[in-house]
Amino acid sequence: LKYTYVCMKIKINPKKVSIFQPRRSYNTYEAEIRYTTRLLRLISAFRDRGHYSASLDPLSQKVNDRRRTSWLPANFAQHPDVVRLLKNYPASLDLSAFDLDNLSESQKFYLADEVKSISSTNGEWSVVELIEFLKSTYAGNVGIEYSHIENDLQRKWIEDRVEGYLGPRMWTLSKVSDKMRIFELLLRTDHTATFLNKRFPNAKVFGIEGCESLIPGLWGILEEVSKLGCEGIEMGMAHRGRMNVLHNFFQKPLSSICNNFHESEPSELGDVKYHLGTRVQLTVRGEDEKDRIVHISLAANPSHLEAVNPVVIGKCKAKQFFIGDATMKKVCPLLLHGDASFSGQGIVPETLELSDLPDYTVGGSIHIVINNQIGFTTDPRSARTSYHCTNSAKGVGAPIFHVNGDDVEAVVVVCKLAAAFRQQFGKDVVVDIVCYRRHGHNSQDDPSITQPLTYSLIQSHPTTLQIYFEKLKSSGVLSDDDFRQISSKVWTEFEADFKDSLNYKPNPLEWLASNWQGAAIGSLISTRPYNQTGVRLATLSTVGNALTYIPPHIEVHKDIMKLIKSRQKALDSGEGFTMAFAEALAFGCLMTKYSPDLQAGLRGLTADQRTLENANNVEFNTLDVQLQEHPSVHIRLSGQDVIRGTFNQRHAAIYCQKSISPPYWQLNNLNVKEQASISVCNSSLSEAAVLAFEYGYSLSNEMALTIWEAQFGDFANNAQTVIDNFIAAGEHKWNNHSSLVLLLPHGYDGQGPEHSSGRIERFLQLVDDDEDSIPGKSSYSKAEMQAGFAALDFSKDGVITKEDLARALARFTDVPSERIDLRLAELMTELSSCGDSSGNITKEAWFKLLESWCLQNSERQTNLIVVMPSTPAQYFHCLRRQIHRSYSKPLVCFSGKWLLHHKACVSSVEDMTVGTFFQRVILEGSRGDNMRKRKTVGLVSDADMKRVIICSGKVFYHLYHAREAAGVVDVTLIRLEQIAPFPHDLLGPAILRYPAADIVWCQEEPKNMGAWSFIKPRLMTTLRENGVVKTIEYVGRKPSSSPANGGYKLHVAEQKELIDRALMLEREKNL
């Protein structure tokens, strides 16, 4: 018998049963075994499925309430055993669900440590006692899903904590001080919502009503994680309850929130108030009476509810990296979700799947679902297949705690338990606060139109504050007078804040500081030194040598050895640098510390190097300033298959072919005194979540270079939400500055519709570049200049004095005072030719200065930079330019595929050394022209040129080779390397060099795609401003609904036809 018990893992009580002194018959022991086994099945069932019977819905009075089950999925018709057991609870138990119906309710069974409760010291339980305990633990106001977790230690940790105390006490608080703290938070939360609805009845507030327990829960998480070593929280949430979270968690003054609702002054930020982010430093006092400081940041988000999740995770990852948080316990992500969006939005499982990937893990995220039990107007039955809205979290082994939102103490305990789990195991955890939405989706919406019965229940349902007050009142903690006194005090405070918000008067300089003119007068004040992108030959040689070194213990693949030899040949000869080699050199040079010396000189070129070609280039048409010290730059390159490269070009890691030794990372072994690290990360097969992650990563440190590479540029459309809402619009909407680089392999190679186009047209449509005017000359630019002049004219006498400028510069509070004096001197030098003898600045002089600044700084003023580099040197410079400029802008780089291995697409080392730079426009024969040394056909003079073809990317090489083969001498090619912002200042003078030539735009893409629709109006504006009256001819594929055809032969025929048409080869044949 003892052997049988052991085999079944059932422990016997040696004091009660002994095989040496049998007192009962064999049948008696057999029955005990049978019933004990069933009791163990009962325990397991409650642990696995008790959440199905938990009293989670605040609007349901009992388990079998029709409202509770009416929206369940069809396949849930057969209720689980625990549901059957508790169907008529507490009136009766259906013990037949576990074959226990013939068991005496008073009979006790020894279960030893199978149940962790301390309520029974001898381990003996009757069936009723056991069910009462299990129900209060797993099927009361809290339900837990954790049996899906594969890690035994994690499951045991949860069991020990939820069963280790008597069930009914587990989800409550014992200290009166804790209860009062929760009550005060709940009251302020309730009153904040009521106050905003009263004062702004016609505004969209997206109130928290129905889930007021969220705020005490957030404080519970904050207190727990701070106690366990957390120093920072990165937070993301949707709009519901945001105003309340801002005030009662982030401590944002209510007067400031009310002022946002007044909208007394138009804001420079371009988003609604319930999308904006914030940050705060909070002091948290723990149970040990120690104060701990926690920095909390709330990310701005769009109305795409869950899109912010991976952005927050990326920000968290970056902060962990830069503070050296190897354990990932110091910075914690906290994400708030809605029930419909958590189960419905694909970005949720995409983000969850990043949670345990080595290059993306942040040591777990805490997820809180505000479970309204409704979408906008859609019931759960129509919104998801699963019973709970949180099923997607099971896929990554995250424990899920469901809790009744009206039980505020249970919410706080669950939130603390979830926070402790995250800090202990570094895994995701979910808290599902099952609540309701007292009003519609917003305060203007009437939800009773579609959910009349539900909202009749809600109207009669007491608030969470009322429920909790009655609980405290019945236990003697609070009285009615106490409630009225606390409530009156809070309400008086709110009224005073509202009055203050009415008296808010913005200062004109506050507007100027956020306007582009603020950047103009403080243009050299930045934490990012503005250095040239050309690099000293010695540095290029050092990095290049590291990129050709292979440790002797690594036996490399034959193709890698061929690559290494080609790199060494390029280093020795100074010629033949490929795209991939130039990329690696750009990375390596950024990763080394930059210290200027006498050879480096000034930022610009010397006087004899200032050729006519460069006269209008923004890189040189600025003040010469001494090059500045620049720290080494951390680089993160992420995407699908980026370590090797989709096109077998990068090989960031070198793998030994004969062993399983770790790969060798050449760029992390540059053999220099100080170097930063590079992280090259193969990602999951996700675009949206990974791109958003990298965007978030880029926000945390402007001195790091963050890059996302699509496997093919075509696949970026899977992340269109991220591109539209964050990358393109983030600066305008939320003042978020990012230098993220998107590498989108693009080019027509005959690989079909989904492997040809990075959809240039979509990115260009997102660029806020005016097609009808030159920068600084539009009517709205003039209006802003007028307002800027008025803001600086403090004396209102029609001129700006030196003292006025100094006063304005002083308002840039993050600028050291010594830099202000330097910039003031530079400004007066720039303005000396515009002012009168006293040094004052007239309105005309102010306009002239700013028009010049706008032309030179069009990139600073726009939201995106779109380039299509056609040479390795150009690619080298545009990557380095992302760091070596005084502002951050996202860069969309349409990188090559065919160009990666095209023999002619190479550069010389001289095109990457000191004095070289990214050429926005490349003319034939100029220094940026990588073909200038290999021309075999002499072109006619500029005056005799008959045709100018403007193009971007690899089509240049097709045109060049075809022209050389045909011997055409009267057609010149202009490469537009930077498409947006449009280089009016360079392209206009370039076209004027060819007065008799026709102008052609040539592209590989169909006419309704590619850059044509962007180029045409801007090129016409350039011609108009330069006094040129000409038409622009389009040469490319005809309009199409699909980017490319699917046949290689047809592709070749189309490509030949457009090249011949561009070069007029058919005309030559006919002649």
Side-chain angles (χ1 to χ4, degrees), residues 114 134 144 150 280 321 367 413 433 597 622 632 659 722 770 775 788 832 850 887 912 937-938 966 994 1042 1051 1065 1070:
E114 289 297 327
L134 292 172
I144 310 172
E150 297 176 356
V280 71
F321 176 84
H367 303 266
V413 173
I433 303 178
D597 56 20
T622 54
S632 55
S659 71
V722 180
D770 189 351
S832 60
L850 292 182
Y887 52 89
M912 295 181 281
V937 176
Y994 312 105
S1042 178
H1051 158 75
L1065 296 184
N1070 294 334

Side-chain angles (χ1 to χ4, degrees), residues 939-948 970 972 991-998 1030:
L939 299 179
V940 299
S941 66
D942 293 349
D944 295 329
M945 199 66 66
K946 293 182 179 180
R947 199 166 177 85
V948 174
D970 56 359
T972 189
I991 291 173
L992 290 176
R993 293 176 55 170
Y994 312 105
D998 296 331
K1030 289 184 179 180

